[in-house]
């Protein structure tokens, strides 16, 4: 069953808007762990994973780009844009590369954990560049640990979504369009 | 629950472990650098800088007592810094994310407190006690 171009556009817009809403909601949740200030759940990563698994790479990239730009316009600053952009680009590239291993070797859990950790790496690199001291990177192990935990949770959630939302199987055909 | 265990594949574990080890890399480089710094009079100094310009130094080694001061820029961007003995922290800040306040006390070389909205960084550096101690603002 084939998709028209318009259906694909609507699907991209749908994912992007969901991602924007989720990242706005996430901003409103105070993170409970005082031991790791700056850590986040990364709920918006669910949508990135869905996009990666149901769309072509180029379209998944569009979803991520739209999400970053829109969530910055809806209540972000230049600094927060730089963090989220660097984190999102790095984690997207990492997830894309890791996913190349194929579904028989790697599951959604591994892909989302990679995304979570690389997101932290990207943010801390920008933070240490702004602060002009690379010792900020010493904070990385703490964030990676939180990243693994949230990565596993997000991976399970995304897996659940991918299996149980039947409609999405229909959208898997979109990948063959390009 | 069992099905989630089955979901994990071999490469998940390999890649996660690799990334965790990779995240310790800056730490390893730093400890290597610190180990090469030998000397008897090593002292810890908290360097407070705003927008990459050093604004104040606080001697931490051997410091006793309590001190609180404000670093203010652009009239409203204020960080209240507290030094108790050989530890330093940001007690309060007017920034929106409060990450710097949550970081709490730091006292070991290499630890940092960063307040990105105000571009304020507190970094603990190791200096050799014999060299130009006159320049330091030593709090008493």
């Amino acid at each position: 069953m084939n998709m028209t171009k318009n259906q694909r556009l609507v699907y991209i817009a749908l994912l992007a808007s969901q991602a924007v809403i989720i990242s706005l909601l996430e901003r409103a949740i105070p993170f409970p762990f005082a031991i790791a200030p700056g850590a986040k759940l990364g709920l918006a990563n669910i949508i990135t994973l869905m996009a990666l698994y149901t769309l072509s790479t180029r379209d998944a990239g569009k979803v991520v780009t739209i999400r970053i730009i829109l969530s910055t316009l809806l209540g972000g600053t230049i600094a927060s844009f730089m963090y989220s952009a660097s984190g999102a680009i790095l984690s997207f590239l990492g997830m894309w590369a890791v996913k190349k291993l194929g579904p028989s070797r790697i599951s959604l859990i591994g892909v989302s954990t990679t995304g979570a950790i690389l997101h932290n790496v990207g943010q801390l690199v920008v933070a240490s560049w702004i602060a002009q001291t690379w010792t900020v990177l010493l904070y990385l192990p703490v964030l990676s640990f939180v990243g693994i935990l949230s990565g596993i949770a997000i991976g399970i959630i995304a897996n659940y979504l991918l299996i149980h939302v039947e409609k999405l199987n229909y959208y898997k055909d979109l990948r063959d369009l390009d | 629950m069992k099905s989630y265990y089955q979901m994990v594949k071999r490469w998940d574990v390999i890649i996660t472990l690799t990334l965790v080890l990779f995240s310790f890399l800056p730490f390893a480089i730093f400890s290597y650098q610190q180990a090469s710094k030998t000397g008897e009079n090593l002292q810890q100094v908290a360097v407070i800088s705003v927008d990459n310009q050093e604004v104040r130094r606080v001697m931490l080694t051997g410091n006793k007592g309590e001190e609180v001061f404000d670093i203010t820029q652009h009239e409203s961007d204020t960080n209240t810094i507290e030094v108790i003995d050989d530890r330093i922290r940001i007690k309060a800040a007017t920034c929106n994310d409060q990450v710097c306040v949550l970081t709490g006390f730091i006292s070991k070389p290499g630890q940092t407190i960063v307040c990105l909205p105000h571009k304020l960084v507190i970094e603990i550096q190791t200096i050799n006690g014999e060299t130009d101690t006159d320049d330091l603002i030593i709090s008493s």
Side-chain angles (χ1 to χ4, degrees):
Chain A
M1 136 178 54
N2 266 333
M3 299 252 75
T4 65
K5 203 184 166 199
N6 280 344
Q7 281 172 307
R8 192 182 59 174
L9 278 177
V10 169
Y11 183 58
I12 293 173
L14 204 67
L15 279 183
S17 56
Q18 282 172 339
V20 170
I21 298 296
I22 287 177
S23 50
L24 285 181
L25 281 180
E26 197 190 4
R27 213 174 277 169
I29 306 172
F31 196 74
F33 297 133
I35 39 157
K40 277 172 89 182
L41 283 170
L43 287 174
N45 208 20
I46 298 173
I47 302 296
T48 315
L49 282 170
M50 304 278 273
L52 260 178
Y53 272 79
T54 53
L55 286 166
S56 65
T57 310
R58 186 192 290 195
D59 287 341
K62 278 179 202 159
V63 171
V64 174
T65 317
I66 295 170
R67 184 198 100 204
I68 295 166
I69 293 174
L70 278 185
S71 60
T72 306
L73 288 177
L74 292 166
T77 56
I78 296 283
S80 77
F81 173 71
M82 277 162 64
Y83 301 135
S84 48
S86 63
I89 290 166
L90 202 63
S91 77
F92 183 73
L93 290 177
M95 288 195 286
W96 171 77
V98 163
K99 191 181 158 275
K100 285 266 160 186
L101 284 168
S104 62
R105 293 212 186 102
I106 192 146
S107 70
L108 271 164
I109 292 181
V111 178
S112 78
T113 313
T114 311
I117 294 178
L118 285 179
H119 196 270
N120 293 331
V121 174
Q123 285 188 320
L124 281 185
V125 166
V126 169
S128 62
W129 174 63
I130 291 178
Q132 294 286 320
T133 166
W134 66 276
T135 42
V136 178
L137 285 173
L138 292 177
Y139 191 47
L140 198 56
V142 182
L143 283 184
S144 312
F145 181 69
V146 180
I148 289 172
L149 293 183
S150 69
I152 292 171
I154 299 294
I156 291 173
I157 294 171
N159 190 51
Y160 189 82
L161 271 175
L162 272 178
I163 292 170
H164 292 272
V165 182
E166 271 186 6
K167 266 282 178 199
L168 284 165
N169 284 323
Y170 173 71
Y171 288 109
K172 271 182 184 161
D173 300 329
L174 289 170
R175 230 182 324 193
D176 310 324
L177 260 188
D178 277 329
Chain B
M1 198 62 212
K2 204 179 175 188
S3 61
Y4 293 137
Y5 284 127
Q6 283 165 354
M7 199 182 139
V8 177
K9 309 251 165 55
R10 182 187 294 168
W11 278 87
D12 291 347
V13 182
I14 296 174
I15 286 179
T16 309
L17 285 181
T18 316
L19 285 170
V20 170
L21 287 179
F22 171 75
S23 71
F24 279 96
L25 189 69
F27 196 75
I29 295 173
F30 181 77
S31 352
Y32 180 75
Q33 264 188 357
Q34 283 291 307
S36 62
K37 254 189 208 170
T38 47
E40 279 166 24
N41 271 322
L42 290 185
Q43 291 175 314
Q44 264 109 56
V45 181
V47 180
I48 302 163
S49 46
V50 174
D51 212 355
N52 212 20
Q53 297 282 311
E54 188 180 319
V55 292
R56 187 160 178 171
R57 268 171 182 254
V58 181
M59 193 71 190
L60 291 181
T61 304
N63 185 33
K64 283 273 175 271
E66 202 178 321
E67 189 194 6
V68 179
F69 54 90
D70 284 354
I71 304 277
T72 307
Q73 333 130 38
H74 312 304
E75 290 169 11
S76 61
D77 293 353
T78 305
N79 292 70
T80 308
I81 294 164
E82 183 180 44
V83 186
I84 296 179
D85 296 342
D86 58 350
R87 302 178 303 161
I88 187 167
R89 70 158 173 171
I90 294 183
K91 196 180 183 183
T94 55
C95 59
N96 46 25
D97 61 5
Q98 299 286 312
V99 166
C100 54
V101 180
L102 287 170
T103 308
F105 280 107
I106 59 168
S107 58
K108 295 194 186 75
Q111 283 185 314
T112 46
I113 304 177
V114 184
C115 181
L116 284 164
H118 296 172
K119 289 187 175 171
L120 182 135
V121 180
I122 302 176
E123 187 181 7
I124 298 194
Q125 292 179 353
T126 309
I127 53 155
N128 215 322
E130 289 142 18
T131 52
D132 57 292
T133 33
D134 296 341
D135 288 344
L136 300 174
I137 302 163
I138 300 171
S139 59
S140 56

